[in-house]
Amino acid sequence: MTVTKNTWLKIAIVVLILVILVVFFQDSFLEGFQEIAKIPGKTVILLLCLSMGYFLAEGGVITVMAKSCTGTVSFQSGFACALYCSFFRLVTFGSGSGVAEVYYLNKKGMKAAEATGMSLVQYLIQKITICVMGAVSFFVCFRYVEQYIGEYQGYIALAVLITMAIGAGILLITVFERGKNLLFFYLKKVAKRENWKQKVRKVEEQANILQDGAKKLYHKKHCLFLAFFLNLAKYFFWFLTPYVLYGDEERLTLLVSLVLMALATMVAGVIPTPSGYGSLDAMIILLFHPLLGDAKIVSLVILYRVVVSLFPFLIGMGVVAWSLRKEKK
C-alpha cells in the first residue's frame, strides 16, 4: 500500500502534538502509569463496556440510515460495520473509515452510490451532534466553563462559533441546491491553479452525492431524528470516561465530565488533525488539568485513547479478519 503525502502530513502533525505533550508532561508519565495501576479491575471492565456502548449506538445509526435506503442491513451488520470502520480509522489516521463503511455496506447489498451518500449524511449528522453538544455545554453550563477554564473561555467561544459556522455551511450545501451551485460557481472562479480546480471539482462531486443522499432521507425525518439521538447516546458513553475514573460529587461531577468532554471534542474538531488524534488529547489535558493535576490527567488521556481507539481497533481487527475469511469461502 502506497503512503501518500497527505498521510505523511497527518502522521507528522500527530507526532508533533504528541511530542509536545510528552515533553510538557515528561516528569508525570511514570506517575500517570502508577495511577493506572491503582484503577480497580471492575472500573476497567466498565470503561470497556462504555466503549462497546458507543459502537452499539453507532451500529444503530448505521442500521437506521441504511434501512431507510434499502431495508437490507440488520443491526448485527450495522454493529459489525461500526467496528470494521474503527480498525481502518486507526490504520489510516481517519481517512479510510468512510471508504471502509461504503465497502462493507456494499458487500451487504447496498449500492456503492447509496452507501456513499448515506456515509456523508451520517458524517453531517455527527458534526451537527457535536456542534449542538458543544454549544449547549458552553452556553447553558457557562458557570462551569467560567469556574474551571475561565482563562480559555474566549478561545472556546471562538471554537463554538467556528463549529456552528461549519455545521451551518454543510447544512446549507446539503439542503439548498441553489446555494450549493452558487458556492461552487465562485470557488471555480477563485481557483486559478489546476490542482485547486481539481480539488474544487472533487468537493463538488462529494457535495452532489451528499445532496442526493440527503434528499432520500429528508422524506424520512424520523430516521434523521433517531440517528441524531443515537449520536447523542454514543458520545454520552465516551464522555462518561473521566467521571467513571475520577468522578466525585464536588468538582468532577457527572455534569462537569459531560460538559468538558463535549467542549474538548468540539474544539478538537476545529483543529486540523486526523480524527482528532493529538488535538483531542491536548484539549482534554487543557480542560481537565485544573481538576485532576498532572498524574491523573496523564492517566486519563492514556485510558481514554484505550477506550476510543485501541480497544475498538483490536475488536475491529477481529471483525476484519472474520470478513476476509468469509470472502475467501
Side-chain angles (χ1 to χ4, degrees), residues 51-320:
S51 180
M52 284 300 97
Y54 176 98
F55 287 97
L56 285 168
E58 175 78 345
V61 172
I62 293 171
T63 305
V64 166
M65 299 191 70
K67 282 190 173 182
S68 68
C69 296
T70 62
T72 59
V73 177
S74 66
F75 175 74
Q76 182 180 354
S77 295
F79 177 53
C81 180
L83 290 169
Y84 185 90
C85 294
S86 72
F87 171 80
F88 288 99
R89 183 176 294 110
L90 185 58
V91 169
T92 63
F93 283 86
S95 60
S97 59
V99 176
E101 182 175 352
V102 171
Y103 177 80
Y104 188 92
L105 292 175
N106 182 244
K107 291 293 181 182
K108 294 297 178 181
M110 282 189 73
K111 294 179 181 178
E114 284 184 330
T116 302
M118 191 208 86
S119 179
L120 289 170
V121 174
Q122 184 183 337
Y123 174 77
L124 170 64
I125 295 173
Q126 184 168 296
K127 277 291 184 185
I128 291 172
T129 305
I130 289 295
C131 179
V132 169
M133 293 179 77
V136 169
S137 296
F138 183 78
F139 292 112
V140 176
C141 306
F142 184 77
R143 182 169 62 87
Y144 293 98
V145 176
E146 191 174 33
Q147 181 179 356
Y148 296 114
I149 47 173
E151 60 184 306
Y152 303 111
Q153 61 187 354
Y155 299 105
I156 294 174
L158 179 61
V160 170
L161 294 175
I162 292 173
T163 306
M164 292 174 69
I166 292 171
I170 296 174
L171 194 61
L172 181 68
I173 292 172
T174 308
V175 176
F176 300 105
E177 187 171 359
R178 184 176 295 179
K180 181 206 71 175
N181 293 337
L182 191 63
L183 173 65
F184 284 103
F185 173 77
Y186 285 112
L187 284 177
K188 288 174 183 177
K189 280 198 167 188
V190 171
K192 300 297 183 182
R193 297 180 181 179
E194 185 58 33
N195 60 332
W196 290 0
K197 291 178 181 178
Q198 289 178 359
K199 288 180 180 179
V200 170
R201 284 195 291 269
K202 186 176 180 180
V203 173
E204 186 177 20
E205 288 174 6
Q206 291 180 330
N208 289 331
I209 294 171
L210 176 60
Q211 201 163 72
D212 290 340
K215 283 177 181 177
K216 294 177 182 178
L217 287 167
Y218 288 149
H219 297 294
K220 300 177 181 179
K221 293 183 175 60
H222 64 286
C223 292
L224 293 175
F225 282 114
L226 184 54
F228 173 76
F229 285 112
L230 284 170
N231 267 288
L232 287 176
K234 76 180 190 183
Y235 284 113
F236 179 81
F237 285 117
W238 275 1
F239 292 176
L240 281 174
T241 303
Y243 180 74
V244 169
L245 283 171
Y246 301 119
D248 55 49
E249 298 309 316
E250 294 181 4
R251 301 190 72 196
L252 186 50
T253 63
L254 175 62
L255 181 60
V256 170
S257 178
L258 295 174
V259 165
L260 295 185
M261 282 304 306
L263 287 173
T265 305
M266 184 197 63
V267 176
V270 177
I271 303 170
T273 60
S275 289
Y277 295 125
S279 60
L280 179 57
D281 308 80
M283 290 311 305
I284 291 174
I285 289 173
L286 180 69
L287 300 185
F288 282 91
H289 185 265
L291 294 169
L292 299 178
D294 289 355
K296 287 184 177 179
I297 196 63
V298 169
S299 64
L300 171 60
V301 169
I302 293 172
L303 288 171
Y304 191 72
R305 271 299 156 204
V306 171
V307 169
V308 306
S309 299
L310 182 59
F311 181 62
F313 166 79
L314 295 174
I315 303 297
M317 186 187 297
V319 175
V320 171

Side-chain angles (χ1 to χ4, degrees), residues 80 84 103-104 108 318-328:
Y84 185 90
Y103 177 80
Y104 188 92
K108 294 297 178 181
V319 175
V320 171
W322 176 259
S323 299
L324 290 173
R325 186 180 175 185
K326 286 183 69 176
E327 288 176 14
K328 289 179 180 178

